Amino acid sequence: MAGGGETRRTDAGSRLIKAAPDVIYQALIEPEAVASWRPPQGMRGEVLAFDSREGGTFRMAFIYEDDGGHGKTTDNADVFEGRFAELVPGKRVAELVEFESDDPAFAGSMRIVTTLEPVDGGTRVTVSCEDVPAGISEDDHQKGIASSLENLAAFVET
């Protein structure tokens, strides 16, 4: 439950990626890779800090490429920090993420769990975002998850 008694939701997405789980796992924990594939369409990523070990922290910015002025932290950027809660090589990455924002609709910690399941033809990658802040619309978030998974596929598929 969020502070105002609101129920926080879970958003998820999944995609078959034509790469081995270990290859995808490396793309989840290497800062240059994450900056490349994670920002959804229309944004670019900047890694500000990144310690990819269990318990390690990270800080990133997603910067809007247009002048629409719809960032959570500034007019054109979403800045967030987090911690790697769980790292299981080739299988699972769990992160706790918080946005830097003065808007209480973006407050709180969101848990992002990425699971990698070997299947015929590659790996089923599933992203589950738990306790999504109310300020993130479900439709926008679903599109963002799908876009990031598409970017990840393009990054690792050969």
Side-chain angles (χ1 to χ4, degrees), residues 18-111:
K18 296 173 187 170
D22 289 338
V23 170
I24 297 168
Y25 179 81
Q26 287 305 309
L28 299 176
I29 64 165
E30 292 177 355
E32 297 82 14
V34 173
S36 174
W37 67 262
R38 193 167 220 171
Q41 184 175 2
M43 301 184 90
R44 64 180 172 80
E46 288 184 12
V47 174
L48 306 170
F50 205 90
D51 181 5
S52 57
R53 61 184 170 85
E54 204 161 288
T57 59
F58 56 88
R59 188 165 185 258
M60 293 184 67
F62 288 175
I63 296 130
Y64 288 89
E65 295 176 324
D66 64 27
D67 295 327
H70 37 257
K72 296 171 188 65
T73 309
T74 66
D75 280 348
N76 72 333
D78 296 345
V79 179
F80 56 95
E81 57 185 30
R83 179 174 60 83
F84 290 103
E86 182 183 14
L87 294 173
V88 182
K91 296 188 183 301
R92 177 180 166 103
V93 173
E95 305 160 88
L96 300 173
V97 174
E98 292 188 34
F99 290 100
E100 293 180 14
S101 178
D102 293 332
D103 185 339
F106 298 111
S109 182
M110 177 172 60
R111 182 177 173 88

Side-chain angles (χ1 to χ4, degrees), residues 2-4 6-9 11 72 99 103-108 110 131-138 141:
E6 299 172 20
T7 301
R8 307 249 311 215
R9 69 177 194 277
D11 295 336
K72 296 171 188 65
F99 290 100
D103 185 339
F106 298 111
M110 177 172 60
D131 295 324
V132 176
I136 301 173
S137 83
E138 185 173 0
H141 205 208

